[in-house]
Amino acid sequence: MRRREVLRLAAALAGLPLMQGCERVLRLGLPVRLNRPGMDEGHRLRAGLTPPEPAGERRCRVAVVGSGAAGLFAAWRLRKEGLDDVLVLNGPEPDGNAAGGAFGECRYPTGAHYLPLPSRESTHVRELLAEMGVIEAAPYAERPRFDERVTVHAPDERLWRDGRWQEGLLPRLGMGKAELAEQARFLAEMGRLRAARGADGRKAFCIPLALSSRDPAWTALDRISFAAWLDANGYRAPGLRWYLDYCCRDDYGARPAQVSAWAGLHYFCSRGGLAANAEEGAVLTWPDGLNPVMRHMRARIGAARQLDGAAWRIRERRGRAEVDYLDGQGGSRRLSAERVVVATPLFVAAHLCDALPSLGFQSRHLPPRASWLTANFLIDRFPEEPHDMPLAWDNVVYGSQSLGFVVSTHQLIRAAKPERSVFTAYHAFAGGDPMAARRWLERADSDALFDLAAADLSEVYGWRFRKNLRQAEMTLRGHAMASPAPGFLSNPGLLALREADGPLLFAHSDLSGLSLFEEAAWWGERAARKILA
């Protein structure tokens, strides 16, 4: 292989751009950055391209491959417990779905933008938040005290319907008595199920998922879709069904007909986190979403233990585990470790690790994956808002196929609005063929992507939004998250990888089938505990 080809392959596998530059939305002359993290690297792995054999080897006790929430949590735990000989290979996108960016001083998320108040069972997350100072007192009590700067401020949610805003996301204004009665019945049922327990004494629906009841009376819900459960229980009101469709797209990247009934109910019944100084249902958020949590873990791990580059092969040899990777400079390197934590999505791990079939995981066990588009829009002036319904943190359009937009500066405590802000819009490609969505994302130009990303903002503000728009960045994730299809709880491949305890360990939210920070952190915690044991 010629050196130029090696350099191009290294850049692709390590996620390093071959050139810098922006495209433009031609109609507006707007500068826009297009990011497709991991696409080139994933396609090259799928094609089976093999770089040259590594020229050098570095030995360590533990190597963590991937620096999303699971990988960083595993390394954070190992370091916290005194294990120093740990190396983290960042992968093509450091921080994964919790990455962030900035327009100058204005930070924004390119993935996850909030964290619900952690459940009492999520002691691992509470410990991390206490170390950060986000939990200020009583971290393991029923109602810890949280830093009010990151507890979402009011108004937190509003819904645009029929040309006006209403408070909250469940549509109520203009709804008839029958619709409102059905909404009330559904909410009461969710309240009952939050307290439900199985014959084994566990909560029916819990975060982390692994602590949920295994009572067949509850797990049987995983054999049908959420849509089928709603139909069977008489929940057919249009406003309620739209809201539930929105919730499934928002958390799972799929529609109720594609989502397990168990997972659909888990969305409403599992969390239960409370705070001494916040309302029930509050969330934690920062201008750049969850990225400050990732930066904290990186600081604790230490920069010297973090390597840029992306793996192209992971294998077991002579009782150790080897990670072959490209470092972005054209160099093929090797890490030789006693244990390797594979913290990549499983569709990537399936290409990296030939050993997966011997561990009980086959390609048919891969969960379906949803594509996402996240867009950040820099504005130099806030749009005018109704006096009785001011700008909220989360703003959603009723009936939209997108997921609304959040405001990056919402948490800033100031006497007046800042001069500039970033609105972050989300779109999940739910309901259709995932492969077709990924093909469209590969081909789409900046104008088509902009129109899709800005649909909700254009619906609400029209030309007024574009008038004050100065810059945009769009992040395309073709395999953004696993979706919990019916049967996901009993997926034998996921169950096998959860139990792996040899040279290769696995840690990713994919092991739960739910793309949630708490789940990713749980599997990072479990992998670290196996090593420490």
Side-chain angles (χ1 to χ4, degrees), residues 438-451:
R438 285 190 276 272
R439 286 194 295 267
W440 185 83
L441 284 172
E442 282 188 67
R443 300 190 308 264
D445 62 22
S446 56
D447 284 85
L449 292 167
F450 180 91
D451 287 344

Side-chain angles (χ1 to χ4, degrees), residues 302-317:
R305 297 179 179 87
Q306 300 169 47
L307 306 175
D308 288 329
W312 60 269
R313 182 172 64 192
I314 301 173
R315 59 183 176 177
E316 299 179 39
R317 287 210 307 176

Side-chain angles (χ1 to χ4, degrees), residues 150-440:
V150 298
T151 307
V152 70
H153 301 162
D156 58 341
E157 294 176 333
R158 63 178 184 170
L159 179 67
W160 178 263
R161 181 171 176 266
D162 295 334
R164 59 184 294 194
W165 290 107
Q166 67 150 66
E167 186 177 357
L169 299 185
L170 185 59
R172 297 181 181 276
L173 293 181
M175 293 292 179
K177 290 183 179 180
E179 166 85 43
L180 295 176
E182 194 168 303
Q183 291 183 12
R185 181 166 67 91
F186 178 82
L187 295 176
E189 178 73 355
M190 296 305 101
R192 183 184 72 81
L193 293 180
R194 274 197 291 273
R197 291 184 178 270
D200 53 10
R202 291 184 173 190
K203 289 174 62 176
F205 305 98
C206 187
I207 287 183
L209 174 150
L211 301 184
S212 299
S213 173
R214 304 304 299 175
D215 186 338
W218 293 109
T219 58
L221 290 164
D222 187 44
R223 294 200 292 266
I224 63 172
S225 73
F226 189 35
W229 184 89
L230 293 170
D231 290 340
N233 287 272
Y235 295 113
R236 296 184 176 88
L240 175 63
R241 290 297 286 256
W242 173 83
Y243 172 68
L244 299 177
D245 180 82
Y246 164 84
C247 292
C248 287
R249 287 183 288 126
D250 189 47
D251 250 34
Y252 303 143
R255 296 192 180 279
Q258 302 166 302
V259 167
S260 157
W262 190 95
L265 295 172
H266 182 272
Y267 176 95
F268 295 97
C269 305
S270 58
R271 290 232 157 79
L274 300 172
N277 57 335
E279 294 183 358
E280 185 175 353
V283 301
L284 308 174
T285 188
W286 294 259
D288 43 348
L290 294 188
N291 199 241
V293 181
M294 310 298 278
R295 294 201 299 271
H296 175 86
M297 289 192 286
R298 286 189 181 279
R300 295 298 187 186
I301 295 165
R305 297 179 179 87
Q306 300 169 47
L307 306 175
D308 288 329
W312 60 269
R313 182 172 64 192
I314 301 173
R315 59 183 176 177
E316 299 179 39
R317 287 210 307 176
R318 297 186 294 274
R320 294 178 68 85
E322 295 178 347
V323 180
D324 294 339
Y325 71 100
L326 288 166
D327 63 8
Q329 305 299 318
S332 184
R333 309 284 182 186
R334 173 171 293 163
L335 296 176
S336 176
E338 294 178 16
R339 313 290 288 275
V340 168
V341 179
V342 183
T344 68
L346 292 182
F347 77 95
V348 175
H351 291 288
L352 293 175
C353 308
D354 291 339
L356 258 62
S358 67
L359 295 174
F361 186 90
Q362 306 286 339
S363 59
R364 66 177 182 274
H365 298 141
L366 287 171
R369 302 196 72 85
S371 299
W372 280 69
L373 168 62
T374 304
N376 286 282
F377 301 101
L378 176 67
I379 58 171
D380 62 5
R381 182 180 179 181
F382 284 84
E384 292 184 8
E385 303 286 353
H387 293 296
D388 62 340
M389 195 59 63
L391 183 65
W393 167 69
D394 193 11
N395 308 267
V396 176
V397 175
Y398 180 77
S400 172
Q401 298 304 300
S402 292
L403 296 166
F405 57 94
V406 296
V407 179
S408 72
T409 53
H410 184 75
Q411 294 298 102
L412 299 181
I413 301 174
R414 299 186 181 185
K417 289 179 180 177
E419 180 180 349
R420 303 197 302 169
S421 185
V422 179
F423 286 4
T424 306
Y426 291 88
H427 181 91
F429 292 81
D433 177 10
M435 285 297 296
R438 285 190 276 272
R439 286 194 295 267
W440 185 83

Side-chain angles (χ1 to χ4, degrees), residues 460-476:
V460 174
Y461 300 117
W463 64 269
R464 293 174 296 155
F465 169 69
R466 301 190 183 199
K467 177 182 177 183
N468 298 112
L469 184 57
R470 293 294 171 262
Q471 197 170 341
E473 178 180 276
M474 294 186 287
T475 301
L476 288 59

Side-chain angles (χ1 to χ4, degrees), residues 27-106:
R27 296 188 308 277
L28 304 176
L30 181 75
V32 55
R33 291 198 297 266
L34 293 180
N35 302 321
R36 293 181 170 90
M39 186 179 78
D40 289 341
E41 302 89 317
H43 288 183
R44 288 179 180 271
L45 282 175
R46 186 180 64 190
L49 286 174
T50 303
E53 284 296 307
E57 179 179 284
R58 182 172 177 179
R59 296 174 72 87
C60 60
R61 182 172 173 187
V62 179
V64 179
V65 180
S67 63
L72 291 185
F73 202 97
W76 171 80
R77 170 62 69 197
L78 293 171
R79 289 285 298 114
K80 188 177 177 69
E81 300 299 324
L83 201 161
D84 291 330
D85 194 10
V86 179
L87 292 175
V88 177
L89 186 62
N90 277 326
E93 186 188 27
D95 303 333
N97 281 356
F103 296 124
E105 77 284 1
C106 293

